[in-house]
Amino acid sequence: MAKIIPFKAVKPTRAIVGLVAARPYQSYTLDERESRMGYNPYSFLHIVNPGYKYDQEVTGEERYRLVKSRYEEFKEDGIFVTENKPSLYVYKIVNRYGQEFNGIIAATSAEDYEKDVIKKHEDTIAKREQTFKTYLQTVGFNAEPVLLTYPDNVVISNIIKETQKEYAEFEFTMTYRDTHYLWKLDNDETINKIQNEFKKMETIYIADGHHRSASSYLLYKDEKEKNPNHNGSESYNFFMSYLIPESDLVIQEFNRLVKDLNGLTKEEFLIKLDAVYRIENRGIMPYSPSKPHHFSMYLDGEFYSLYLRKTNYNFENALDKLDAQLLYSTILDPILGIKDLRNDNRIEYVHGKHEMITIKSSVDSGKFKVGFGMCPATVQQMKEIANEGLTMPPKSTYILPKLRSGITIYEY
C-alpha cells in the first residue's frame, strides 16, 4: 500500500521559473556553470554553489550552511514563495524529441522505502548516502524530486487529463528545448481519490534517484530517533517525488567503451569471444543491435554483431537476462579483466541517444580500443530485478524524463 501526501511547496514565481530551474549541478561543465551564473542571477545554481558569490570554492558543511543562507535570501527577495495550502502538483514535460511525460509531484513515504513498498533496482554508495543526508539536515530542503513509476491507472490518468485542461500555473521552455508545465491540485476530494488509488498499489519503483531516496530514508531514521514526540506526520517522514505511469517511462541504454584489450591481440580477443558468441563482421557502416542478448561491437575500424551462444549460458534469475549484466559476465570481466564497473578507469559509458557513431569516433580517436552497443532494458526487466531483490550493474539504464531542480521545493 503506497502512501503519498500533499505538501506546501516552495516555488518560484511564474515570471521567473524558467530562469530559476536548473539541471543537477554535476551535469554542467565548469564553463557552463560560470556562464549561467554570470548572466542569470535567478539560477538555482547560485544556491547550490554559494561560493560563487565570493569567487571561492567552498566545500563540506561550510558549503551546506551557505546553501541554506543563499536559499533564505531567495525567499526573502521573493524569488521563492511558499504555498498556503498542502497540494499535489500535476507536472508535464515535453522534450525536444516529442516525448511526453505526465505525472504527479507529491511527498512519498520513507517508511514505504523501509518496508520495500518503494523498490529499488540499483546499488547505492554508503558514503554518498551519508553525505547527502548531512546536506539535507543542514539545508532543510530538497529541490529535486525522486523519479518513481507506478502501474498505469485509469483513475489517476483521467484526473491528470482533466487538470491539464485548465490554465497551467507554469509553462516554460529550457535551453535544452524541453517544455515544462505545472498545475496545482489542491481540491481535497480529488487529492483523496489519488491517494486511494495509490493505497491499492502494493509496489511502486524508483526509476531515478536511488541515492536521494536512500539519504532521505537515513534522515527519517535519524530524526525519528531524536524526536521523543515522533508521530509519523513530521516532514522528515516523507521525501519529494515525481510519480509517472510505467507507460510514460523511457529507458535508453548505456553503451560501453574500453581502453584496451587486456593484453590480447585483436585476433586473440576475437577467438575468446567466439567461444561465447557467434560473430559476424558487418564492415564499416554503423551497426546497432536489434534484440536482447545481441550486441554490436566496433573494433579496429569495423563493426561486428555478437549473437549469444545460449547453450553456453544459463539464465538463473532476472538479472542474468539483463544485457548489461550479460556483457559484464561474458566479456568485460572474464576476457577484458574489468571487475569493478563503477571505479575501473579503463571503461567509460555513453548513453543511447548518442548511438554507435559516437562509439566509432571514440575508438577511431585512439582513446579507446573497443566499443559495445546493446539494446535498452525494459520497464518489466527493471521491475523483475527489483522484485527479486537484485541490483543492476552501474550505468545499466539511462532514464527519461530528466528532472530540473528548483521548480518545487520540499522543506523539512
Side-chain angles (χ1 to χ4, degrees), residues 7 9-12 89 105 142-145 182 240 406-410:
F7 67 102
V10 178
K11 310 200 311 292
Y89 302 90
I105 295 175
N142 187 12
E144 183 185 348
L182 180 140
M240 182 172 63
I407 300 172
T408 57
I409 296 174
Y410 181 83

Side-chain angles (χ1 to χ4, degrees), residues 56 115 124 147 201 237 247 274 285 315 340 371 406:
Q56 183 175 333
K115 293 181 176 179
T124 51
L147 181 62
M201 300 178 193
N237 291 278
S247 60
D274 191 78
M285 294 301 293
F315 299 115
D340 186 348

Side-chain angles (χ1 to χ4, degrees), residues 391-410:
T391 54
M392 294 182 177
K395 303 292 185 182
S396 291
T397 56
Y398 183 81
I399 303 282
L400 296 176
K402 294 299 180 189
L403 305 180
R404 298 296 185 262
S405 298
I407 300 172
T408 57
I409 296 174
Y410 181 83

